[in-house]
Each structure stands twice: as structure tokens, then as C-alpha cells.
């Protein structure tokens, strides 16, 4: 009991430094500061996989952050949201959650952000250092009320990889609640470009490039990856046998 209360206070203090906007919103506050969520976080932070990825200095940022894979989804649906400056885009958060969310880009901008300068490593043999700004994924998962039986978070993208099948990826809850796992809407202090995943992309900094899903449309909480694509948890995992766990 005492531990729980003290832990709750510590958690609230830590979260408040970056989250003053959030703290003014009662619903988010209740979800984020609940003892249950705090314990989930505290337990995970004891594990090595919660170690932070290296962060870099501003002068180390790559002059160009090259685009790889899809550089423009170019589908009718994507063109339609692009034409409105993404005003009509919504991020859905659903699946095994108590309260499904549908968030606009301006709502994402109003949530607490995190900024990080990190290195992206693509398996094809190139790297780039970029400064990302975005909303920690855990804030959305807490707000949506992730169910206790959820085990993975699946990211559904806007680009068609053939046969109407969009790019998709998934991560486990250790990565989902990792402090550097953010939904980024800015790269190097500019709104995310189409080439780099506009309007929103995942940054999961302890993982290789193909896990960094661009053009996010929907985030789904599931208890199994069996029904996602061909069951390996991601587009490249399914079609090319890439490892699902791409930790670096
Ligand atoms: N939706 C979507 N996300 C994606 C890809 C893609 O083709 N489509 N390619 C992946 C790969 S292999 C890499 S290396 C990075 C490239 O991100 P960048 O284009 O910003 O460099 O995005 C990843 N996420
Ligand atoms: Mo990649």
C-alpha cells in the first residue's frame, strides 16, 4: 500500500515534467497515473530491453534523411487526405482497448511530445541520424485503456504493397511502452514529409528500419499475430522472412 502510493507520486512527478498539457486533461490523467499503469511501467523499466537507444547531438544530424520503401503511397485515399493537408486524416486506436480512439493531427499536436535525435539503421546497409518529435505511444495506449490480455500492437499503414495489402508492422508491449517509442509527426523541426511517412510514423528506437512504420492509419491491440497478414507480424517478415524481433 505505502509502496503503491509513493510509487504513484514518483510516477506523477516524473510524468509531469514533460506532460503538463496532459496533466490538465482529467481523462488522460486518470488513465496515465493509475497505479496499475504505473506498476506496468515500473516493472518493465527494470528489464534490459528498456534501456534507451543512443541519442545524438544536433550537430550530428544527417543533412539528408533518405527515404526508403514507399516514398509516396499515391493511393486515391492517401491523395484525398494529403490534399486537405491531412485535416481529414484520423488515427484510429482500436482492437483490445476499453475505449477506441480516433485522433486528428491537431489532437496529436496537443498531446505531450518527446524529442529525440537517434540513428535509423536499415538492413539494406545505410543509416541516418534524425531529430524526431512525436507523442509517446504509451500515452495513447493508456488513454485507450489497453486491455490486460493484449500482447502486441499492430500498425496499419496507408501504402499499398500490392494486391491492396497495406504495409503493416507490430511490436510487443515492452517496445510499445518504451520511453523512446513515439508516433512522430516532425523530422528535423519540420512537419514529416510524404517521403518520410506523413502525417505520422512510428519510431521504435531499439529496432531496425523496417519496424519504423510510415503513413500510420490505424493502431490495433491484439493478443496474437496469427490473423495479421500471414502471421509473422509484419510485411517484410511475411514476404521476405525478416526477423520479427529486429532489436538493435
Ligand atoms: N508504410 C511503410 N513503412 C515503412 C516502409 C514502407 O515501405 N512503408 N519501409 C520501411 C523501411 S525498410 C525503412 S528503412 C524505413 C525508411 O524510412 P524513411 O523512408 O523515412 O527513410 O521505413 C520503414 N517503414
Ligand atoms: Mo529498411
Amino acid at each position: 500500500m505505502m509502496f503503491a502510493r509513493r510509487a504513484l507520486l514518483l510516477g506523477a512527478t516524473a510524468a509531469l515534467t514533460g506532460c503538463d498539457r496532459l496533466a490538465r486533461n482529467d481523462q488522460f490523467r486518470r488513465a496515465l497515473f493509475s497505479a496499475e499503469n504505473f506498476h506496468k511501467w515500473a516493472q518493465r523499466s527494470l528489464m534490459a530491453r528498456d534501456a534507451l537507444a543512443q541519442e545524438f547531438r544536433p550537430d550530428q544530424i544527417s543533412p539528408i534523411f533518405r527515404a526508403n520503401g514507399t516514398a509516396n503511397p499515391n493511393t486515391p485515399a492517401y491523395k484525398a487526405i494529403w490534399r486537405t493537408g491531412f485535416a481529414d486524416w484520423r488515427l484510429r486506436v482500436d482492437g483490445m482497448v476499453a475505449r477506441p480512439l480516433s485522433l486528428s493531427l491537431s489532437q496529436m499536436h496537443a498531446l505531450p511530445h518527446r524529442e529525440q535525435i537517434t540513428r535509423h539503421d536499415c538492413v539494406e546497409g545505410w543509416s541516418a541520424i534524425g531529430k524526431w518529435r512525436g507523442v509517446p505511444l504509451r500515452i495513447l495506449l493508456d488513454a485507450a485503456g489497453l486491455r490486460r490480455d493484449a500482447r502486441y500492437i499492430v500498425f496499419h499503414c496507408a501504402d499499398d504493397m500490392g494486391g491492396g495489402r497495406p504495409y503493416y508492422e507490430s511490436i510487443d508491449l515492452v517496445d510499445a511502452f518504451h520511453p523512446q517509442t513515439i508516433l512522430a509527426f516532425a523530422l528535423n523541426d519540420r512537419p514529416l514529409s510524404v517521403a518520410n511517412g506523413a502525417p505520422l510514423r512510428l519510431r521504435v528506437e531499439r529496432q531496425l528500419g523496417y519496424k519504423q512504420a510510415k503513413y500510420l492509419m490505424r493502431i490495433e491491440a491484439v493478443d496474437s499475430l496469427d490473423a495479421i497478414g500471414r502471421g509473422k507480424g509484419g510485411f517484410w517478415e511475411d514476404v521476405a522472412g525478416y526477423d520479427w524481433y529486429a532489436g538493435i
Side-chain angles (χ1 to χ4, degrees):
M1 270 297 251
M2 271 312 285
F3 170 74
R5 204 169 306 144
R6 207 177 311 134
L8 199 60
L9 276 173
L10 279 172
T13 313
L16 269 172
T17 56
C19 302
D20 38 354
R21 231 193 277 242
L22 170 81
R24 278 182 246 132
N25 181 319
D26 270 332
Q27 202 189 334
F28 276 109
R29 185 188 183 133
R30 270 196 304 275
L32 185 64
F33 297 163
S34 75
E36 188 194 325
N37 284 330
F38 178 79
H39 281 129
K40 213 187 279 172
W41 175 82
Q43 201 177 353
R44 285 200 187 96
S45 61
L46 298 173
M47 305 198 295
R49 280 194 53 207
D50 247 35
L52 296 182
Q54 183 179 359
E55 295 195 12
F56 296 81
R57 299 185 311 268
D59 61 283
Q60 294 173 299
I61 292 172
S62 306
I64 292 171
F65 199 102
R66 64 171 272 189
N68 202 37
T70 304
N72 187 333
N74 254 320
T75 64
Y78 185 81
K79 281 189 212 158
I81 51 168
W82 173 81
R83 255 185 245 115
T84 69
F86 299 108
D88 291 346
W89 169 90
R90 294 290 181 278
L91 177 72
R92 279 187 291 149
V93 182
D94 60 13
M96 300 178 81
V97 298
R99 299 173 290 277
L101 306 175
S102 170
L103 295 161
S104 69
L105 201 50
S106 51
Q107 284 175 309
M108 292 297 291
H109 289 155
L111 289 170
H113 316 150
R114 182 189 157 89
E115 268 186 5
Q116 55 205 34
I117 302 175
T118 52
R119 194 185 61 220
H120 174 107
D121 295 307
C122 172
V123 283
E124 291 168 26
W126 59 274
S127 298
I129 292 175
K131 175 181 175 184
W132 302 98
R133 188 193 310 143
V135 178
L137 176 58
R138 85 177 149 75
I139 285 176
L140 298 193
L141 298 179
D142 286 342
L146 188 66
R147 276 171 36 188
R148 303 187 71 98
D149 42 353
R151 292 184 59 204
Y152 305 98
I153 306 299
V154 182
F155 301 88
H156 299 279
C157 307
D159 48 335
D160 180 359
M161 302 303 286
R165 194 147 60 114
Y167 196 90
Y168 51 99
E169 258 302 340
S170 60
I171 58 177
D172 66 15
L173 297 188
V174 177
D175 272 325
F177 284 85
H178 188 283
Q180 288 168 318
T181 297
I182 63 173
L183 303 175
F185 48 75
L187 170 59
N188 298 337
D189 296 319
R190 296 212 182 96
L192 201 53
S193 67
V194 168
N196 295 119
L200 194 75
R201 69 135 4 123
L202 173 66
R203 292 302 309 171
V204 49
E205 302 292 358
R206 300 287 310 280
Q207 299 272 340
L208 285 169
Y210 58 90
K211 305 296 286 188
Q212 321 293 328
K214 306 196 279 188
Y215 317 114
L216 295 180
M217 299 301 291
R218 177 177 172 222
I219 294 177
E220 182 190 11
V222 298
D223 62 357
S224 158
L225 297 173
D226 291 350
I228 308 299
R230 294 181 204 158
K232 296 269 169 43
F235 177 77
W236 288 114
E237 290 88 330
D238 277 335
V239 306
Y242 284 18
D243 286 331
W244 175 80
Y245 185 73
I248 46 178

